[in-house]
Amino acid sequence: MTEEELVRCPSCDGYGWFAEESQLDRTEDCSWCGGIGYVQRDANGVDRPIPPGRYSAVAAALEQLDEARLRELGYSGVPKARPSSPDPH
């Protein structure tokens, strides 16, 4: 078997879900990628969902891809500073 490239799901663009427009605060997992946000692309350019049995083998690569996607959206990876609260004592 040739190595397949992991790419963002063309259906949900890496989010893994869709917001339900008819009902507030409701989401549905993407049926194409199964909520993973990524698919595997073969040498012919054909995209397929990642089989669940491969998840552990590609977990690190998926983490890197998602981190890159979040950085494109402006996520810095640094948590916001917590506002200081007055000392109750």
Side-chain angles (χ1 to χ4, degrees):
M1 179 172 114
T2 61
E3 189 63 31
E4 295 182 332
E5 179 184 16
L6 298 174
V7 297
R8 283 186 199 163
C9 176
S11 182
C12 68
D13 196 32
Y15 285 93
W17 50 268
F18 298 101
E20 182 69 43
E21 292 182 17
S22 63
Q23 296 182 8
L24 297 175
D25 299 325
R26 183 161 181 211
T27 61
E28 292 282 327
D29 280 349
C30 175
S31 60
W32 179 244
C33 67
I36 301 298
Y38 296 87
V39 294
Q40 56 189 25
R41 179 172 291 160
D42 68 18
N44 296 319
V46 177
D47 294 343
R48 291 186 176 87
I50 301 167
R54 275 197 78 208
Y55 290 165
S56 62
V58 298
L62 290 172
E63 287 289 331
Q64 290 176 341
L65 288 169
D66 212 39
E67 182 178 325
R69 182 183 68 84
L70 290 171
R71 295 218 186 278
E72 287 175 17
L73 295 172
Y75 176 69
S76 68
V78 178
K80 290 183 178 180
R82 293 181 67 177
S84 58
S85 57
D87 187 4
H89 296 105

